[in-house]
């Protein structure tokens, strides 16, 4: 899949599975889909960080974004999707646990019509399914408590 990602164009996205929902990331920022490896945990105060993994000799922080995207903790995960975040001093790899296989697609990006959720930059229409495109930097900088209240309201009947 990495060779496919490297050849991808601007309209290419990686679809990822979290629980029973699919989301997308621009393929340009995705480094790899890593197999499950040991998650090293340690005491910390970061609400999204679930620990770190060691990948290719580097320490990669793992962020459990399911609390923001699904309104609950991460379901069972099978892989780590590693993507690059942008900082003032350069890019840094970060990982999110994903539930299933990832898929490379080419689709037309549609801008988000609202700014209620800054971690959603837009949508893709893939096989009649509307898939939210994640703003990776904004997602990992999010406060889960702030995002869970509106999400819980959407889930309530």
């Amino acid at each position: 899949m990495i060779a496919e990602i490297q050849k991808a164009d601007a309209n290419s996205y990686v679809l990822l599975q979290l629980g029973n929902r699919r989301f997308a990331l621009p393929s340009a920022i995705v480094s790899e889909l890593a197999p499950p490896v040991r998650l090293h945990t340690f005491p910390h105060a970061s609400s999204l960080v679930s620990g770190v993994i060691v990948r290719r000799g580097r320490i990669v922080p793992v962020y459990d974004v399911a609390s923001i995207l699904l309104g609950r903790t991460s379901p069972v995960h099978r892989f780590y999707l590693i993507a690059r975040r942008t900082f003032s001093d350069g890019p840094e790899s970060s990982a999110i646990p994903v539930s299933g296989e990832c898929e490379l697609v080419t689709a037309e990006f549609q801008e988000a019509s609202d700014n209620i959720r800054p971690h959603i930059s837009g949508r893709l229409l893939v096989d009649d399914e509307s898939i939210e495109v994640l703003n990776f930097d904004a997602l990992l900088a999010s406060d889960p408590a702030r995002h869970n209240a509106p999400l819980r309201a959407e889930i309530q009947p």
Side-chain angles (χ1 to χ4, degrees):
M1 183 166 134
I2 299 307
E4 294 170 346
I5 290 173
Q6 291 170 344
K7 295 176 188 174
D9 64 20
N11 287 335
S12 293
Y13 298 87
V14 174
L15 301 184
L16 57 114
Q17 186 83 31
L18 279 176
N20 61 353
R21 291 191 56 200
R22 294 199 305 171
F23 298 92
L25 281 174
S27 64
I29 68 166
V30 175
S31 303
E32 67 179 300
L33 182 62
V37 294
R38 181 170 180 235
L39 178 68
H40 302 273
T41 59
F42 51 90
H44 60 82
S46 303
S47 57
L48 287 179
V49 176
S50 57
V52 298
I53 59 173
V54 178
R55 192 73 186 145
R56 302 188 191 281
R58 295 181 183 240
I59 296 173
V60 178
V62 175
Y63 295 84
D64 185 358
V65 296
S67 60
I68 294 172
L69 298 174
L70 304 176
R72 60 186 184 276
T73 58
S74 185
V76 175
H77 64 274
R78 295 175 44 199
F79 304 100
Y80 292 103
L81 186 67
I82 301 175
R84 290 180 305 281
R85 295 178 68 188
T86 306
F87 291 98
S88 59
D89 57 348
E92 178 183 294
S93 292
S94 298
I96 57 174
V98 294
S99 305
E101 296 286 338
C102 293
E103 177 183 353
L104 183 66
V105 298
T106 300
E108 193 65 34
F109 177 80
Q110 300 170 358
E111 291 284 334
S113 59
D114 58 26
N115 288 332
I116 295 171
R117 298 179 358 185
H119 59 275
I120 304 297
S121 60
R123 294 184 176 277
L124 305 176
L125 188 59
V126 178
D127 297 331
D128 296 327
E129 179 184 2
S130 180
I131 299 174
E132 294 175 319
V133 178
L134 302 174
N135 176 330
F136 197 59
D137 292 337
L139 177 63
L140 299 188
S142 295
D143 175 13
R146 192 177 93 217
H147 293 285
N148 283 343
L151 185 57
R152 281 192 202 110
E154 287 178 20
I155 295 171
Q156 300 289 328

